[in-house]
């Protein structure tokens, strides 16, 4: 069992490997999937938000986004935690880009107009691991809420 867990961590990018450019969208998608799964269901509307977020954050075409979502589902199912994913993002992105990802997580959590406490907890945990300051965490939440009311 422990060997399988260690292999999953090594496959994604163990502690000795620098982040690879192609892992960044997968890491971001996996973190978004973690937020969506926090309430133990991933709805079609949440998948739409994840697709839109990936398109915005990475300027990707629809086919690439679908491939990344499938890959991120595999990583989410096999992962032993979110640290390797947050580390990949933290090492590759500066704070403004990490803030955009946290804002995308808030938009995802608020999509169904009811914020589940586990979704908020997961976003808080991820934001801390991404070194997004608490004030920026709140700012991202307010930004997502304002975008929600604009719809």
């Amino acid at each position: 069992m422990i060997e399988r867990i260690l292999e999953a961590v090594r496959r994604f990018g163990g502690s000795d490997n620098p982040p690879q450019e192609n892992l960044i969208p997968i890491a971001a998608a996996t973190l978004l999937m973690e937020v969506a799964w926090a309430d133990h269901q991933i709805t079609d509307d949440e998948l739409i938000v994840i697709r839109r977020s990936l398109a915005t954050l990475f300027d990707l075409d629809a086919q690439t986004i679908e491939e990344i979502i499938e890959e991120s589902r595999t990583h989410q199912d096999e992962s032993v935690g979110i640290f390797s994913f947050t580390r990949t993002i933290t090492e590759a992105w500066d704070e403004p880009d990490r803030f955009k990802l946290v804002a995308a997580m808030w938009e995802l959590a608020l999509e169904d107009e009811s914020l589940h406490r586990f979704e908020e907890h997961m976003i808080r945990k991820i934001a801390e691991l991404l070194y997004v300051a608490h004030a920026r965490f709140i700012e991202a939440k307010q930004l997502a809420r304002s975008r929600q009311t604009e719809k």
Side-chain angles (χ1 to χ4, degrees), residues 115-144:
L115 178 61
H116 193 280
R117 69 178 191 264
F118 293 144
E119 291 172 327
E120 182 168 8
H121 172 75
M122 181 58 68
I123 297 169
R124 182 180 307 271
K125 185 175 172 181
I126 292 170
E128 288 173 359
L129 290 171
L130 292 176
Y131 300 106
V132 173
H134 184 71
R136 296 281 281 164
F137 167 82
I138 298 298
E139 183 182 344
K141 183 177 183 179
Q142 292 171 338
L143 177 63

Side-chain angles (χ1 to χ4, degrees), residues 38-55:
D39 60 358
H40 297 287
Q41 60 180 351
I42 299 176
T43 66
D44 290 338
D45 288 341
E46 288 174 323
L47 287 172
I48 290 169
V49 173
I50 291 171
R51 287 181 184 101
R52 186 175 60 225
S53 296
L54 292 173

Side-chain angles (χ1 to χ4, degrees), residues 60-104:
L60 300 171
D61 62 75
Q63 181 181 348
T64 303
I65 289 170
E66 291 307 315
E67 291 169 4
I68 288 171
I69 287 175
E70 285 306 310
E71 183 73 18
S72 70
R73 282 182 184 225
T74 301
H75 284 296
Q76 183 202 17
D77 290 342
E78 296 176 356
S79 77
V80 294
I82 59 173
F83 181 74
S84 62
F85 306 109
T86 57
R87 187 189 68 238
T88 297
I89 298 293
T90 302
E91 290 177 356
W93 281 359
D94 57 7
E95 195 279 341
D97 289 331
R98 296 190 312 261
F99 171 83
K100 289 177 190 173
L101 179 59
V102 172

Side-chain angles (χ1 to χ4, degrees), residues 8-45:
V9 170
R10 281 189 211 108
R11 244 190 18 244
F12 183 76
S15 60
D16 297 333
N17 299 333
Q20 299 171 12
E21 196 65 33
N22 60 343
L23 290 180
I24 297 167
I26 295 169
T30 303
L31 294 173
L32 289 164
M33 295 294 278
E34 286 290 333
V35 171
W37 181 247
D39 60 358
H40 297 287
Q41 60 180 351
I42 299 176
T43 66
D44 290 338
D45 288 341

Side-chain angles (χ1 to χ4, degrees), residues 1-11 78-81:
M1 173 71 169
I2 205 76
E3 279 303 314
R4 194 183 87 151
I5 293 170
L6 289 173
E7 181 58 30
V9 170
R10 281 189 211 108
R11 244 190 18 244
E78 296 176 356
S79 77
V80 294

